[in-house]
Amino acid sequence: MRRLLIALFALLVVMVAFVGAGWLWARPDQPAEFYRSGVAEGAPGTLLAVEPYDFDVPEGARAWRILYVTTRIDETPAVASAVVMVPEAANGPLLPVAWAHGTNGTAPGCAPSVVGPLKNVPAVGELLAEGWAYVGTDYVGLGTEGGHAYLVGEDAARAVLDSIRAAAQMSEVEILPRTVVWGHSQGGNSALWTGMLAEQYAPDIEVLGVAAQAPASDLPKLVEGAQRGMFGKIVSSYLLHAYAEIYDDVRVEDYVEGYRAGVLQDIAGRCAVDAKALYSIAQLSLLPGELFATRPDGTPLGARLEENVPVGPFSMPVFISQGVDDDIVLEPVQAGFVAGLCAGGTNLIYRRYEGRNHVSLVAPDSALTGDLVDWTRARFAGDASEGDCAV
């Protein structure tokens, strides 16, 4: 018995040391002063600041980092950031692809423009070769202040739409207010919500199509499955932390017990896209079993997850792609979500890619690349889209 108590005490010491060290050195770097230089004044989409940007910008392209006004789901104004990238030799009006990024984290410093703007962006070279502009929002709260509303669809959609409004005001390059929206994972949810919200929130922006790659679509089923995997537990930590910050009826302690709640909050303060994420994995190795003690079904968290499922309607064509070997967003779950959209009359194409997982689906050598570019080219050309709803 004494040995058991000593072992448990040693484990507790290790966990305290892990959490303490996390606060000391595993936090993301704070964003540069640029991200705090804008004031949320003016109409949604107002361009606030522009500066040249060269982090990971490929040869043959030029880019800028911008700040702009957007609004949160409670209608309060906020400042968001984005990267705008165009072919180096581009002149004349350019058609933009609006990019909605996947999971980076929920803490300040996790913005794509801070840690890597083109991570898991499909068809970057092809996009530039077509002469299109790239407009990639950071959403709110990852570079700028205000807190990041992770997987709150309408909040992200507003940031996507306002990024196109802001880019169209730039004097450095002429960008048209007509766009096709791409998004992966978390950003797939954001992209679908952008299509749903476009006519109501930004009727001045013409959204010609929405392409969602492995979107986080059926959130209740996604969270249920996520409790079994390491990355899924990290995502669940981000989601519960963010929902507890945004929704008054969601509390972390109602779903995660004891010291696990402290570990969850610690993980939520770290990004998912750099070496510091290894610290989160190390912490989770000390948490056997499922992260949640209480399942979301029939609770306020469950209701909020249902609320953020992008069920439509969509007035534009939709293209959903999915890796068959995805172990984060499962293909059978995606197929069920697609079947629901098809039953509701969405003009939708669904493509499954054999041998592709959650990340390799959007890799440069994926067959998705050609399909996505062809589909986008047709949307910009004004061609009719014939949905096949194949599931």
Side-chain angles (χ1 to χ4, degrees), residues 118-168:
L118 301 178
K119 182 178 178 62
N120 295 332
V121 181
V124 172
E126 291 77 6
L127 182 156
L128 293 169
E130 291 287 333
W132 301 330
Y134 163 91
V135 181
T137 183
D138 291 325
Y139 312 132
V140 177
L142 296 180
T144 57
E145 298 175 341
H148 177 53
Y150 182 71
L151 284 174
V152 176
E154 184 173 343
D155 197 272
R158 293 177 179 215
V160 173
L161 291 163
D162 286 328
S163 72
I164 297 298
R165 283 169 157 164

Side-chain angles (χ1 to χ4, degrees), residues 43-215:
T46 297
L47 180 65
L48 298 175
V50 183
E51 70 174 21
Y53 182 83
D54 60 6
F55 181 26
D56 280 353
V57 174
E59 186 176 351
R62 54 195 174 114
W64 302 266
R65 182 164 51 184
I66 68 171
L67 292 180
Y68 60 95
V69 179
T70 188
T71 55
R72 311 309 297 267
I73 55 173
D74 62 359
E75 304 299 336
T76 59
V79 177
S81 53
V83 169
V84 177
M85 181 174 66
V86 302
E88 193 167 39
N91 53 40
L94 301 180
L95 293 163
V97 170
W99 170 248
H101 70 80
T103 299
N104 267 32
T106 57
C110 296
S113 66
V114 174
V115 298
L118 301 178
K119 182 178 178 62
N120 295 332
V121 181
V124 172
E126 291 77 6
L127 182 156
L128 293 169
E130 291 287 333
W132 301 330
Y134 163 91
V135 181
T137 183
D138 291 325
Y139 312 132
V140 177
L142 296 180
T144 57
E145 298 175 341
H148 177 53
Y150 182 71
L151 284 174
V152 176
E154 184 173 343
D155 197 272
R158 293 177 179 215
V160 173
L161 291 163
D162 286 328
S163 72
I164 297 298
R165 283 169 157 164
Q169 297 167 40
M170 293 175 61
S171 60
E172 292 81 359
V173 62
E174 185 179 0
I175 293 178
L176 296 172
R178 302 173 62 231
T179 188
V180 171
V181 183
W182 297 358
H184 175 241
S185 191
Q186 173 198 359
N189 179 286
S190 305
L192 290 166
W193 269 96
T194 300
M196 289 167 52
L197 195 66
E199 289 188 353
Q200 170 200 339
Y201 181 76
D204 50 312
I205 302 297
E206 187 178 5
V207 176
L208 303 172
V210 172
Q213 299 92 54

